[in-house]
Amino acid sequence: MNLPAALFTPSWPAELELAYARQGDRTIPVHRRHLGPLRVQKHLHAEGPEVCQHIIVHPPGGIAGGDRLDIRARAGEASWVQLTSPGAAKWYRASAPAHQAIHLDIRPGATLEWLPQETILYDGAQAELHTRIDLHGDARLFHWDIVALGRPAAGERFASGHFQARLDIRRDDALIWHERQRIIGGDGLLDSPIGLAGAPVFATLIATGEIDPELLERCRERSCQGRGDLTQLPGLVLARCLAPEALQARAWLIELWRLLRPALLGREAKPPRIWST
């Protein structure tokens, strides 16, 4: 029997919904729902019971045109959640956009660390990302992202396609950070000195809180083997870098995390084992 072509679609929707709560001295998962190819591995307490770590896994290994990923995580009052990934997220060449939506909700007294590994955009990828973060009361956030355009090791530039991203951070419904990015493959911005200056990798770190001038200078002494700097904004620490390779940008972010985490979150930085595998 020949079925109508309309019944077949190349898109692959995926949803992941997580929630965490503090019970005594422990942070534990209290809700997990998934649809399609998004999962979390077994939760870990590698730093002790207070910090609950989850590794978000996308089993297909890549994101193609038409795919939609929707991730929602809620850190309950006084909980501490650390979310990361086992490897790079790959966005493939496509004839249609692929989408990713992330919503992080952090309740009073809670801490959420969003520390994924890099996002790699193949030439011709059409990636559209939207991240919304809601902070309540004295909630704390440590967030980074790394974007690699093309695959320089394979001689591939980001000559076609597009990348667009939107990031909104609110505290008690008041917008404290809004950012929009749009990069077109092959555009002059990629090589312009007022754009990416030929660097195929860019990274951003945003953390809530304030640090003293001495620590700010110590952070600025760390090189990302490209162009990188930090600034203190009211209630937010912001860091950015341009780098020739994703590994260099990631190493720079980890170094900053090691320095900033004790000052902003009051806990020594212990890198997840998955980063070393």
Side-chain angles (χ1 to χ4, degrees), residues 28-247:
I28 63 170
V30 292
H31 175 73
R32 180 176 63 187
R33 185 187 70 85
H34 67 83
L35 173 68
L38 270 175
R39 301 286 193 279
V40 285
Q41 295 181 356
K42 179 178 173 59
H43 66 279
L44 303 172
H45 290 98
E47 299 184 42
E50 185 179 357
V51 180
C52 183
Q53 179 193 101
H54 251 151
I55 299 169
I56 298 177
V57 180
H58 184 237
I63 301 163
D67 288 357
R68 289 182 176 271
L69 277 63
D70 188 349
I71 300 171
R72 296 183 293 277
R74 183 178 187 271
E77 290 191 21
S79 64
W80 190 316
V81 180
Q82 184 182 86
L83 300 174
T84 187
S85 60
K90 302 178 181 68
W91 294 67
Y92 297 137
R93 172 187 289 272
S95 59
H99 303 267
Q100 176 179 280
I102 296 170
H103 184 197
L104 307 177
D105 187 77
I106 312 170
R107 310 309 292 184
T111 301
L112 193 146
E113 297 176 278
W114 179 262
L115 310 174
Q117 301 199 50
E118 61 269 22
T119 293
I120 300 176
L121 302 175
Y122 284 43
D123 179 32
Q126 299 187 47
E128 301 184 2
L129 292 72
H130 181 200
T131 299
R132 172 174 174 162
I133 303 172
D134 289 308
L135 305 168
H136 303 270
D138 58 351
R140 302 183 300 181
L141 170 73
F142 207 107
H143 176 283
W144 75 37
D145 66 79
I146 309 163
V147 178
L149 301 174
R151 294 173 294 167
E156 178 187 280
R157 286 176 55 86
F158 193 61
S160 62
H162 70 262
F163 167 79
Q164 66 183 48
R166 174 175 173 172
L167 172 62
D168 295 307
I169 303 176
R170 292 176 170 82
R171 188 180 291 278
D172 296 327
D173 294 326
L175 188 66
I176 62 173
W177 184 261
H178 171 71
E179 180 172 357
R180 301 184 78 164
Q181 301 172 327
R182 183 169 174 84
I183 297 174
I184 305 298
D187 190 79
L189 182 69
L190 299 177
D191 294 310
S192 169
I194 62 171
L196 299 185
V201 178
F202 57 94
T204 301
L205 179 155
I206 298 178
T208 54
E210 299 192 4
I211 59 176
D212 59 49
E214 180 183 353
L215 179 56
L216 186 63
E217 288 305 313
R218 286 175 59 202
C219 290
R220 286 173 170 169
E221 292 170 0
R222 300 302 194 269
S223 172
C224 70
Q225 302 187 43
R227 291 167 51 189
D229 207 348
L230 287 83
T231 189
Q232 175 71 70
L233 301 173
L236 291 174
V237 176
L238 174 68
R240 298 193 192 273
C241 85
L242 298 174
E245 295 183 7
L247 289 178

Side-chain angles (χ1 to χ4, degrees), residues 244-276:
E245 295 183 7
L247 289 178
Q248 295 168 345
R250 182 155 63 95
W252 183 71
L253 291 179
I254 292 172
E255 281 298 304
L256 295 184
W257 179 65
R258 288 181 186 273
L259 290 171
L260 293 171
R261 196 186 198 224
L264 294 174
L265 304 182
R267 180 179 284 271
E268 179 187 358
K270 296 182 179 180
R273 287 178 58 185
I274 194 70
W275 291 355
S276 301

